[in-house]
Amino acid sequence: MFDPFTYLKNKKCLLIGNAVLDKEPNYSDYEIIIRMNLGIMTKPCDVWIDNLVNQAHSFLLDKLGYYPEIKNIIRLNAEKNGKRMERMPSVYKPYAWLWNKEEYQSMCNQLKYQRPTTGLVSIYWLTNFVECDLTVTGYDFFKTPNRYTMETHAVSKTYVYPSHDINKDKYWIMKWADQGLFKLI
């Protein structure tokens, strides 16, 4: 099974969100490229943080016609007392490193935020549990749509699902960036 702590340790990592980018970063400046959710459809990708729900895994398969081959998978979403951890296609389960549900809930309690986005959870986990030099890009707090779906939510008429509090995302991410825990480009 994938050991993210050893793989990412002391590496220069780029975490790429799914916002529409004005220009792609210079990937050669980084040792590890980490993509989230539907970002797996774009290369390069060394590590995939897969917090997708069942429908999104189906979207991925329908869009590509196959499941992308990747063996460095991290699953951080431990909602519903950890039940969300196992909700992924069986092809990925042997390779996925699963976060501890108690640590996930501790994060939610600490941040006073029970439904954080994959971006927030990823940054929290990488800055609190992994020794790496982290840079984040492609995360604009849903000012632009997800570049893979270009979806507007049917109820909220915004680019973010109503279950997420994007103001909390922005507060915490900007606070951590200001504290120098990672670079934001």
Side-chain angles (χ1 to χ4, degrees):
M1 182 191 322
F2 175 54
D3 174 6
F5 303 102
T6 302
Y7 189 79
L8 299 170
K9 187 173 183 164
N10 298 322
K11 298 285 185 352
K12 191 171 182 180
C13 299
L14 178 64
L15 175 66
I16 304 173
N18 295 338
V20 175
L21 298 175
D22 292 332
K23 74 175 202 170
E24 291 293 317
N26 184 357
Y27 299 117
S28 64
D29 290 343
Y30 303 93
E31 297 170 274
I32 305 285
I33 306 300
I34 305 167
R35 294 194 186 260
M36 298 179 285
N37 294 336
L38 293 174
I40 188 66
M41 295 191 297
T42 304
K43 301 296 178 214
C45 180
D46 301 302
V47 174
W48 180 31
I49 296 178
D50 174 12
N51 284 349
L52 292 173
V53 296
N54 291 336
Q55 299 94 318
H57 280 115
S58 295
F59 171 86
L60 182 64
L61 180 60
D62 291 345
K63 183 91 171 164
L64 298 175
Y66 60 90
Y67 284 121
E69 286 189 38
I70 187 157
K71 303 226 182 319
N72 300 331
I73 304 169
I74 299 170
R75 182 107 168 142
L76 298 173
N77 187 341
E79 287 179 359
K80 300 186 179 185
N81 199 27
K83 291 180 182 168
R84 298 277 307 261
M85 282 295 184
E86 291 296 320
R87 292 166 120 188
M88 60 188 339
S90 58
V91 66
Y92 292 133
K93 287 182 181 182
Y95 307 105
W97 179 87
L98 308 178
W99 194 18
N100 173 307
K101 70 180 180 181
E102 288 79 20
E103 288 174 350
Y104 177 86
Q105 190 57 54
S106 176
M107 174 203 64
C108 291
N109 294 341
Q110 176 189 348
L111 304 181
K112 296 177 178 45
Y113 188 8
Q114 293 305 307
R115 297 288 311 273
T117 63
T118 296
L120 179 72
V121 175
S122 299
I123 294 167
Y124 177 90
W125 183 79
L126 286 161
T127 58
N128 283 278
F129 295 95
V130 177
E131 296 175 39
C132 70
D133 177 8
L134 181 63
T135 299
V136 176
T137 192
Y139 200 85
D140 67 0
F141 309 103
F142 293 95
K143 290 178 188 164
T144 61
N146 180 310
R147 65 177 157 168
Y148 301 103
T149 64
M150 301 306 277
E151 175 183 37
T152 301
H153 191 272
V155 175
S156 70
K157 305 295 184 210
T158 66
Y159 299 128
V160 64
Y161 275 72
S163 60
H164 299 301
D165 183 341
I166 207 61
N167 292 320
K168 285 185 181 181
D169 265 57
K170 187 171 186 176
Y171 170 80
W172 287 112
I173 290 171
M174 296 310 294
K175 179 177 180 170
W176 299 331
D178 290 344
Q179 291 173 345
L181 298 180
F182 64 94
K183 293 175 244 19
L184 185 61
I185 56 172

